[in-house]
Amino acid sequence: MLWPRTYGFLTGLHFALLQFGYLYVLQINITSTYLTYGLVVLLWMVGSLVGLWWWGKSRALESLLVGLGAYYGVGLLAFMNPFSTAILPLAGVGVALSGFWAGGFFPFMQGSGLGMDGVFFHENNGFLLGIGLCFVGVTLIGRPALIWFPLVTGGGLIVWSRIFKS
């Protein structure tokens, strides 16, 4: 039963690093208004619903890759076009695409041997650690934390899912 606990925790960590990574990337490079925070939260939820209803359980790898690709695409766009609010609609699409895995994660974990309450518990603990890790990383390391942290956790999830869940 180690794999569902660890996978849930790592998924929560990844979700926090992506969500707060988006928030920091957009606030540092575009605008630090309530609109940015609202955009990230609302469109993450939209992506989660799409992931839950349409994307589905069978597309874990695709969801992870789409989410990471969207994150780095938005990051590159923001770094190349500082203070251009015109990219916010594209950033919103990227956030929603990254949210696909948040919707597909719980159906993916059905049948893991760990109840949904346990899956949520471990995912939530990872998320809480990820919030702190993202803040500390941005504060002490800066932009490299925004670049490397999601890549490391996303890569870990891909490897972990191929080893234990395939």
Side-chain angles (χ1 to χ4, degrees):
M1 279 263 254
L2 175 65
W3 96 259
R5 289 184 176 100
T6 305
Y7 194 79
F9 183 84
L10 188 57
T11 297
L13 183 64
H14 180 68
F15 288 163
L17 293 173
L18 275 183
Q19 282 182 15
F20 284 85
Y22 271 118
L23 186 62
Y24 285 124
V25 164
L26 294 175
Q27 286 189 337
I28 290 167
N29 295 291
I30 307 300
T31 177
S32 60
T33 65
Y34 69 92
L35 177 65
T36 305
Y37 177 77
L39 175 96
V40 170
V41 171
L42 178 65
L43 289 170
W44 183 273
M45 291 297 151
V46 168
S48 296
L49 288 173
V50 171
L52 181 61
W53 289 333
W54 177 71
W55 200 249
K57 175 180 180 173
S58 63
R59 296 187 175 180
L61 178 62
E62 294 89 344
S63 296
L64 286 164
L65 292 174
V66 164
L68 282 172
Y71 175 78
Y72 289 108
V74 168
L76 185 62
L77 195 59
F79 295 147
M80 292 176 59
N81 300 293
F83 308 112
S84 172
T85 56
I87 71 162
L88 283 178
L90 289 173
V93 171
V95 171
L97 289 172
S98 292
F100 280 3
W101 178 229
F105 169 68
F106 287 98
F108 176 78
M109 293 299 286
Q110 285 180 326
S112 66
L114 189 62
M116 282 298 115
D117 57 340
V119 171
F120 183 72
F121 175 77
H122 294 292
E123 184 269 340
N124 196 45
N125 286 337
F127 191 85
L128 291 174
L129 178 66
I131 292 171
L133 183 62
C134 192
F135 174 75
V136 170
V138 168
T139 303
L140 298 179
I141 302 170
R143 188 174 287 175
L146 296 172
I147 295 169
W148 288 103
F149 286 3
L151 187 63
V152 169
T153 57
L157 284 169
I158 290 167
V159 169
W160 196 263
S161 67
R162 292 294 148 220
I163 292 172
F164 292 100
K165 186 67 175 176
S166 303

